[in-house]
Amino acid sequence: MKIIDSTLQPQIDSTLDVARVRADFPILKLQVEGKPLVYLDNAASSQMPQPVIDRLVRYQTSQHANINRGVHYLSETATAEYEAVRRKLQRFINAREDREVIFTSGTTDSINLVMHGYGRKFIGAGDEIILTTLEHHSNIVPWQMLAEEKGARIRVVPINDAGELLIDEYEKLFNERTKFVGVMHVSNALGTVNPIREMIAFAHARGVPVLVDGAQAAPHMKVDVQDLDCDFYAFSGHKMCGPTGIGILYGKAEFLERMQPFKGGGDMILSVTFERTTYNSIPHKFEAGTPPIAAAIGLGAAVDYLSNVGIDAIAAYEVELLTYATEQMRQIPGVRIIGTAAKKTAVLSFEMAGVHPHDVGTLLNQEGVAVRTGHHCVQPVMLRLKVPATTRASFAFYNTMAEVDTFIAGIRTVQKIFI
């Protein structure tokens, strides 16, 4: 069994003024069931700091208009702000060109764009698509749709009991029919950090393009798409302190230029007659209709905020939170951590003997603690690990060690009630 460790845990000063950071998040002052909110559902959606909220309000109150084509002040202002965010995202992920950054409604939309724009054009009958057992449903279902339509086949990389990909098995899946690889950077259910750099290099040596689902990576670690050499990278704004309804698809220009549009209408065209439509250049070819202008501008503010706090400092501090929570959890009899990979981000999934995860989540809520329960849209993972569901605590840089203590105390309270 070969497991490659490609992304070292941060070995840097993790000093972070958490109290100052928390002051930027008004929702953290909320009381739930008469107790201070302990928000540990960050893998589902993170909270929004005041600078992002303020930026959204400023756009809506002094800059709002539809973008492109308008020659009046507000339209030109909104267009300039929207395109400035594209350049900001280019720098954030180190894309070569800003035209390689496509605005979408989220990670799911980004993956569907690739499936329709690339997959339906270049994948055919008998071709094979490699996915992994860890994938979120949003990186499984679109490819199943394509496989059914085209007569293609999906091959799946297995995992071990710790929730780590078996890389030797991944390599064995490749053959002359392999046409595409889809892999998540970080598991949303287990926190596993996959060795995507090595996986991409192996695929590229065989001429196979790779899409990376980065929804759980972009908020928690530095992402450099040129260093990874991925062909596509998808992530969402609402998981990185930004608004909902906005996401990013990065694609290498040579791939985007060859792809067919996913949606039609609006600025994705250069000219239209009833006989023929000429499509716009990238990135506009993939941004049909009125885009999520306000949300994009909010995402730009979120990128500024995360960059000012420091992605490396965020990553290191979240590892400290995870390490502390894991140590505390292991001291509780009858609780089993699900997902024990050597390389993890700040996700702690577990099951409690004799207690359904929904009951755990309900009782923790009475303590003011917000966690996620269920299959986390990764039912193949649950099936492989032989658990119907888990309780998941996911940490962010605005959480504290004291909140971890409250969470652990809540787990012990649940045990006292049921056991």
Side-chain angles (χ1 to χ4, degrees), residues 26-186:
I27 203 166
L28 298 182
K29 300 178 178 67
L30 192 67
Q31 297 267 318
V32 175
E33 301 285 346
K35 298 177 181 179
L37 169 67
V38 176
Y39 186 77
L40 303 180
D41 193 21
N42 296 286
S45 195
S46 59
Q47 295 299 339
M48 195 181 298
Q50 192 65 51
V52 176
I53 298 170
D54 291 344
R55 183 65 187 91
L56 288 167
V57 171
R58 182 159 70 91
Y59 168 75
Q60 296 288 8
T61 56
S62 66
Q63 298 177 325
H64 174 64
N66 213 326
I67 63 171
N68 299 322
R69 296 188 305 276
V71 295
H72 60 82
Y73 167 78
L74 282 178
S75 181
E76 290 183 341
T77 299
T79 301
E81 295 292 336
Y82 180 79
E83 291 301 330
V85 175
R86 196 189 306 276
R87 294 188 293 274
K88 193 173 295 182
L89 268 296
Q90 175 201 353
R91 293 189 295 272
F92 186 69
I93 61 173
N94 194 32
R96 285 185 181 86
E97 307 174 68
D98 62 355
R99 68 192 185 120
E100 296 179 317
V101 175
I102 311 296
F103 288 112
T104 68
S105 66
T107 303
T108 300
D109 190 37
S110 296
I111 294 170
N112 275 272
L113 192 162
V114 177
M115 185 277 278
H116 284 276
Y118 182 87
R120 295 185 71 196
K121 186 174 182 180
F122 295 107
I123 295 174
D127 290 341
E128 295 183 356
I129 302 162
I130 294 177
L131 305 176
T132 83
T133 302
L134 293 174
E135 298 312 307
H136 191 280
H137 295 168
S138 63
N139 201 26
I140 298 176
V141 177
W143 303 110
Q144 287 179 328
M145 291 176 172
L146 180 68
E148 183 176 357
E149 174 187 337
K150 298 291 187 177
R153 180 187 181 194
I154 292 175
R155 308 289 301 279
V156 182
V157 185
I159 60 174
N160 62 16
D161 291 342
E164 298 164 313
L165 293 178
L166 302 182
I167 299 304
D168 50 353
E169 297 298 323
Y170 165 72
E171 294 174 356
K172 291 176 184 176
L173 293 177
F174 282 81
N175 57 56
E176 68 279 0
R177 296 182 298 277
T178 306
K179 293 296 187 290
F180 198 82
V181 172
V183 57
M184 58 169 39
H185 197 159
V186 173

Side-chain angles (χ1 to χ4, degrees), residues 234-303:
F235 57 101
S236 297
H238 71 98
K239 296 183 189 294
M240 48 190 294
C241 300
T244 57
I246 183 69
I248 296 297
L249 173 67
Y250 157 79
K252 289 181 178 176
E254 59 265 34
F255 280 86
L256 295 175
E257 287 172 339
R258 294 162 56 205
M259 287 164 54
Q260 61 190 12
F262 174 24
K263 302 171 183 175
D267 280 319
M268 54 78 64
I269 60 92
L270 285 178
S271 65
V272 175
T273 67
F274 280 107
E275 290 70 38
R276 186 173 186 271
T277 292
T278 303
Y279 300 129
N280 208 340
S281 58
I282 62 171
H284 310 293
K285 181 171 73 170
F286 300 106
E287 295 179 3
T290 298
I293 306 166
I297 288 171
L299 176 56
V303 165

